[in-house]
Structure formats: structure tokens, C-alpha cells
Amino acid sequence: MQFHFSFLVTALVLGVVTALYEKSQVISSLTPEQIREVLQTNGFGSERIEGKDNILRIIISGMRGSLIIGQASLQFYAAASKVGSEDQMLRAVNLWNLEKRFSRSYVDRDGDPVLELDLDLHGGVTYERVEDFLTTVTKSLLAWTMHMSNTPR
């Protein structure tokens, strides 16, 4: 009985150590499958966009966004409906860019406000950094949505 118990504890410890090693392993590229696994592990649902293997659609607190997987980068993209007049929207976007770091906002060709965040994988990052990027994406999207909806009309 003692042997089975110590074997079980050893297997459990090795499993935890392996999981921690994998999270701290340095990577310089990600596949859509790896991103889906990280998303799922962190409670995000995702779906592929037909015909676009490098783009995953995700939903964060009811808001839709996309993760675009590049050779050595990961980009989050979300667009919203027009808010207020063009001047009001431009002021809101400029204020966002003035006050915030790690993201950018702009008005696209259709006149819709957009939020983007990038994660550069050149030189390598850990899976923990990818998870942190997703946390930053979530916080930024929620704050940006609130910021844009509070634009004076």
C-alpha cells in the first residue's frame, strides 16, 4: 500500500512540475491549435473562421473579437459600432491612445472604432506571457468599450 501511495504522489508531483515547465517554456511561434488550447485553459471559447486558418474568433464578456496568429506575433482585433459624431469618436479614440498603454485605437475605413493589441513573439515568450496577454486583452476590451460608450454625444 505504501508503494502505491508514494508512486501516486510522485506521479502527481511530476505532472505538476511538467505543467509548470511547459508554462515557462520559451516559444517563438504559436499554431492556432496551441492558441485554442491556451484560450480553453483560461476559460475562453473560440471558433475558427472558415477559410482563414490563422484567425480565431473569441467572445469576451459578450463582446466579439478576433485573434490573428502571425509567423511570430499574435494580434487581438475588435471593432465596435459608430458612437456619436465623427468628431466625438475621434476625440474618444485620441484620448484612449493618450492615456492607455499596450493597445491602440483608431477609426477604420468604414468609420467604426477599432481596438488592437499585439504580442511580439520574436526572441521568445512563455505560455505564461501569452496568458498575461489574454488578461490584458480582456481588461483593455472592457475598459475600451466603457470608454467609447461614455463618449459625450
Side-chain angles (χ1 to χ4, degrees):
M1 190 66 150
Q2 178 75 12
F3 173 75
H4 292 298
F5 179 73
S6 62
F7 177 75
L8 185 61
V9 169
T10 301
L12 181 62
V13 168
L14 284 176
V16 169
V17 169
T18 301
L20 290 174
Y21 170 75
E22 288 174 4
K23 285 184 96 171
S24 62
Q25 179 184 359
V26 176
I27 52 173
S28 58
S29 66
L30 289 164
T31 65
E33 291 75 25
Q34 289 170 314
I35 291 295
R36 285 186 76 148
E37 187 176 316
V38 171
L39 288 167
Q40 185 176 17
T41 300
N42 289 277
F44 294 93
S46 66
E47 62 183 37
R48 285 200 165 174
I49 298 175
E50 190 173 326
K52 300 196 178 195
D53 293 338
N54 68 324
I55 300 176
L56 296 174
R57 180 162 291 136
I58 62 173
I59 296 179
I60 300 171
S61 297
M63 295 170 278
R64 202 182 297 209
S66 297
L67 282 174
I68 303 161
I69 304 150
Q71 286 280 338
S73 67
L74 184 60
Q75 181 185 64
F76 174 78
Y77 172 94
S81 299
K82 296 175 187 172
V83 179
S85 71
E86 185 176 335
D87 283 347
Q88 291 167 330
M89 204 168 27
L90 288 173
R91 276 197 303 272
V93 164
N94 285 339
L95 185 60
W96 176 268
N97 290 330
L98 178 68
E99 295 178 345
K100 305 299 181 193
R101 297 180 59 205
F102 309 116
S103 67
R104 68 186 161 280
S105 186
Y106 59 90
V107 177
D108 69 10
R109 290 183 181 105
D110 297 328
D112 298 322
V114 171
L115 177 70
E116 289 185 347
L117 290 88
D118 291 293
L119 177 62
D120 183 3
L121 304 176
H122 286 282
V125 299
T126 63
Y127 279 104
E128 289 172 313
R129 177 63 191 105
V130 175
E131 290 174 342
D132 182 63
F133 173 72
L134 294 173
T135 298
T136 303
V137 163
T138 301
K139 289 178 180 180
S140 295
L141 180 59
L142 295 173
W144 180 77
T145 302
M146 185 69 75
H147 174 81
M148 295 307 291
S149 66
N150 288 332
T151 299
R153 299 204 189 325

